[in-house]
Amino acid sequence: MTSTRHRFTPLAAAAAGVAALLLSACTATGNSDAADGNTLERLQKEGTITLAIAEERPYSWVDESGEATGATIAMHKEIFKGLGIDNVEVVEVDWNSLIPGLNAGRFDAISAGMSILPDRCEQAAFSDPEIMYTTALAVPKGNPEKLSDLDSVLDRDGDVKLAVQGGAIEADYAEQLGIKNTIQVDNAQAGMEAVQSGRADAFTLTAVSMNWMAKDLDDVETTDAFVQELDGVPQIGAGGTVFRKADTELLEAYNAELAKITGDEAKYLSLVEEFGFTAENLPPESLTTEQLCSGELAE
């Protein structure tokens, strides 16, 4: 299987956003196959699917050899092979350009472990849940500010500065908690660098990402993982693969293949364990995309 790397420049990312606005009245892209719901047939005929990633390790990234890798990439290679699509290619874009670029027809799906949230469900279609999330903070070695979770950041708001990734669910948590002293970064690497440089006292993202990125660093550590609460309600986080709303046949076929993986813990771990994921990241069968999209969840 081959995987090629294409990088959007900032200009291209901006163009994706503009294109999305121009096409907002449409349910699909300029690709007539997508508009007709025939994207699955087209991809099977071509034997290639193009996925968008946002360089968030260990979910999806391009390694030094130019190959796409990560937990979601591993699952996607397996799933799309089962659908008769043997070649997976990727394009790398900023997080905030993922859904606009998808709806503008710049790629076929999003492979970024994106959290399934009500506002996102209004813009695109999500697969069944693939990965469960907890949250963590990356802090300077020794944790000089003694931070433990976002509530501890809120308690010190004004004294400590928090880096958040634009468009990420953790940025939503910070906003809903009322944390004011924040800086926004475009990607996970930039957030980690903000802590390393002293521009931020902490950076928040999913715990598996924080642990993966910090494991080889001698100047950064991570807090214990936590489930953030908002107004006393634990925030259950789960991510999935994102498709255009018109691509119902592709989504249904994808979910059928996905069930073969999430329904078999050993199979799931064989694909994602090397990237730091465990059985705790496997969503329960009772958790549905419909629940996540409606925001009606209980722990």
Side-chain angles (χ1 to χ4, degrees):
M1 177 177 297
T2 60
S3 300
T4 58
R5 184 180 190 179
H6 305 277
R7 184 181 293 275
F8 277 162
T9 64
L11 178 60
V18 171
L21 290 173
L22 292 174
L23 294 172
S24 61
C26 301
T27 58
T29 71
N31 187 312
S32 59
D33 287 339
D36 294 336
N38 294 322
T39 300
L40 174 61
E41 295 179 5
R42 173 177 62 81
L43 296 176
Q44 289 173 327
K45 181 177 180 180
E46 296 174 354
T48 296
I49 186 168
T50 301
L51 304 174
I53 66 173
E55 185 67 22
E56 183 178 342
R57 308 183 186 199
Y59 301 98
S60 54
W61 76 97
V62 176
D63 65 20
E64 292 74 13
S65 68
E67 290 293 312
T69 187
T72 61
I73 295 295
M75 285 195 291
H76 288 155
K77 288 180 177 179
E78 180 79 11
I79 289 170
F80 290 116
K81 182 178 179 181
L83 294 177
I85 305 167
D86 292 329
N87 188 45
V88 173
E89 296 185 351
V90 304
V91 294
E92 186 180 1
V93 303
D94 288 339
W95 184 270
N96 283 332
S97 298
L98 288 170
I99 291 180
L102 173 70
N103 286 330
R106 297 183 179 275
F107 29 82
D108 302 304
I110 297 172
S111 176
M114 184 175 284
S115 296
I116 305 170
L117 301 173
D119 59 336
R120 293 174 180 167
C121 294
E122 293 177 1
Q123 304 171 60
F126 281 79
S127 71
D128 291 336
E130 298 172 342
I131 298 173
M132 295 291 291
Y133 300 126
T134 53
T135 306
L137 302 175
V139 296
K141 201 72 172 182
N143 193 5
E145 301 295 342
K146 306 305 178 186
L147 302 172
S148 58
D149 54 20
L150 290 177
D151 291 303
S152 70
V153 174
L154 179 62
D155 290 341
R156 301 283 310 285
D157 200 17
D159 295 326
V160 300
K161 182 169 289 186
L162 177 70
V164 296
Q165 179 176 293
I169 190 171
E170 295 78 16
D172 293 338
Y173 293 162
E175 181 179 1
Q176 291 183 58
L177 285 169
I179 297 173
K180 304 296 185 184
N181 194 16
T182 64
I183 60 171
Q184 183 172 303
V185 296
D186 291 332
N187 53 58
Q189 184 60 40
M192 194 66 75
E193 290 172 355
V195 174
Q196 291 177 297
S197 68
R199 293 189 300 111
D201 297 295
F203 171 50
T204 182
L205 208 63
T206 60
V208 69
S209 291
M210 295 286 87
N211 292 333
W212 180 272
M213 297 182 70
K215 65 179 181 177
D216 295 324
L217 301 178
D218 57 11
D219 55 351
V220 173
E221 64 182 67
T222 62
T223 65
D224 290 339
F226 57 90
V227 176
Q228 185 58 47
E229 291 190 4
L230 298 176
D231 296 326
V233 179
Q235 301 301 296
I236 299 175
T241 299
V242 193
F243 301 90
R244 287 181 288 268
K245 287 197 171 186
D247 291 339
T248 55
E249 293 179 356
L250 176 59
L251 175 60
E252 291 173 2
Y254 179 91
N255 280 337
E257 291 296 317
L258 173 63
K260 299 176 184 178
I261 296 173
T262 55
D264 182 342
E265 182 178 311
K267 178 67 173 179
Y268 183 81
L269 292 177
S270 74
L271 294 171
V272 305
E273 193 169 29
E274 68 175 289
F275 301 104
F277 293 82
T278 70
E280 293 182 355
N281 298 111
L282 179 61
E285 291 183 12
S286 59
L287 183 65
T288 68
T289 297
E290 289 73 23
Q291 288 175 312
L292 292 161
C293 284
S294 69
E296 298 177 359
L297 292 167
E299 190 177 35

